[in-house]
C-alpha cells in the first residue's frame, strides 16, 4: 500500500525559505509523477508543481519564480522549496501521486501545516 | 476566483440523491479529463472519480461522474451522513498550463 508522509518546519518567518519533504513508501519514486498541492486555511486547493524522476517538472506559473521541486531516488523522497515566503504561503501542503504530468492525483499524504509569521 | 465554478453548497436528506456541477471552458474541461475529490473535515482530499467517470477501487458505485462539453457533474446516490464533506473538481488547463480546481462544494446531509 502506497503511503506518503509530508514533513516540514511548521513555522517560518516572512522572507525566509521554506523546505518540505515527502517520503514515499510502498512504491518507487521512479514511478508516476509526484505533486505538491496546498490549501490555505478555510480555502480551496491550489496545485503547486509536479515532477517525474527523470527531471521533468511542471510549475504553477503564479509560483514558478519562487518554487523548486526535486526528487531523490536514493531516499525515495520528493522535496519542495519555496523562497522568500509571505503570509500568503500559509497553508496545509499536500504531497500526492499523479498518473501523468497533467492528470489526476490518486494517493495523497495527510499534509503538513506551514504558518508564516514573525 | 476559481477557474472552475462549483456551487458553494448543496444539501439533501439521507437516502436521497444529489448532483454537484463543475463549469469550465474549452481550455480546461472542454479538452481534458475531469477528476473529483472528497475532503472529509480535517482530512486530506481523496480521489473519487478520474477520467470523467471512472471510479478507483474502493469507491462505492453510489458515486458517479459525467462530462458534457465544458461542464462536469458528480452524482451521489443513497446519501449517508458520512458523505458530509467538501467536494472538488479538477482538470488540466491547457492555456494556463496548470492543474485547476473548482472552489469546492460543501455537502450537507440533513
Amino acid at each position: 500500500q502506497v503511503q506518503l508522509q509530508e514533513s516540514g518546519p511548521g513555522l517560518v518567518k516572512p522572507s525566509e525559505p521554506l523546505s518540505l519533504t515527502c517520503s514515499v513508501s510502498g512504491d518507487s519514486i521512479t514511478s508516476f509523477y509526484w505533486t505538491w498541492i496546498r490549501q490555505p486555511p478555510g480555502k480551496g486547493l491550489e496545485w503547486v508543481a509536479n515532477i517525474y524522476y527523470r527531471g521533468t517538472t511542471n510549475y504553477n506559473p503564479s509560483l514558478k519564480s519562487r518554487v523548486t521541486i526535486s526528487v531523490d531516488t536514493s531516499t525515495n523522497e520528493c522535496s519542495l522549496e519555496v523562497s522568500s515566503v509571505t503570509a500568503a504561503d500559509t497553508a496545509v501542503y499536500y504531497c500526492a501521486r499523479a498518473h501523468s504530468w497533467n492528470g489526476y492525483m490518486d494517493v495523497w499524504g495527510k499534509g503538513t501545516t506551514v504558518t508564516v509569521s514573525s | 476566483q476559481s477557474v472552475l465554478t462549483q456551487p458553494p453548497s448543496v444539501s439533501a436528506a439521507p437516502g436521497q440523491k444529489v448532483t454537484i456541477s463543475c463549469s469550465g471552458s474549452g481550455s480546461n474541461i472542454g479538452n481534458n479529463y475531469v477528476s473529483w475529490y472528497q475532503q472529509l473535515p480535517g482530512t486530506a482530499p481523496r480521489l473519487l472519480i478520474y477520467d470523467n467517470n471512472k471510479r478507483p477501487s474502493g469507491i462505492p458505485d453510489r458515486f458517479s461522474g459525467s462530462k458534457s462539453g465544458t461542464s462536469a457533474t458528480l452524482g451521489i446516490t443513497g446519501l449517508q451522513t458520512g458523505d458530509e464533506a467538501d467536494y472538488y473538481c479538477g482538470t488540466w488547463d491547457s492555456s494556463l498550463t496548470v492543474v485547476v480546481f473548482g472552489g469546492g462544494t460543501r455537502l450537507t446531509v440533513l
Side-chain angles (χ1 to χ4, degrees), chain B residues 5-44:
Chain B
T5 301
Q6 297 180 235
S9 63
V10 296
S11 62
Q16 296 300 303
K17 174 183 177 178
V18 71
T19 60
I20 298 173
S21 61
C22 176
S23 178
S25 68
S27 65
N28 43 65
I29 292 178
N31 283 285
N32 293 287
Y33 286 117
V34 176
S35 52
W36 289 91
Y37 304 88
Q38 176 194 60
Q39 187 173 32
L40 297 168
T43 69

Side-chain angles (χ1 to χ4, degrees), chain A residues 29 34 51-55 69-75 77-79:
Chain A
I29 200 83
W34 303 92
I51 187 169
Y52 189 59
Y53 81 101
R54 289 182 176 174
I69 190 171
S70 61
V71 295
D72 187 333
T73 56
S74 66
T75 59
E77 293 178 334
C78 176
S79 297

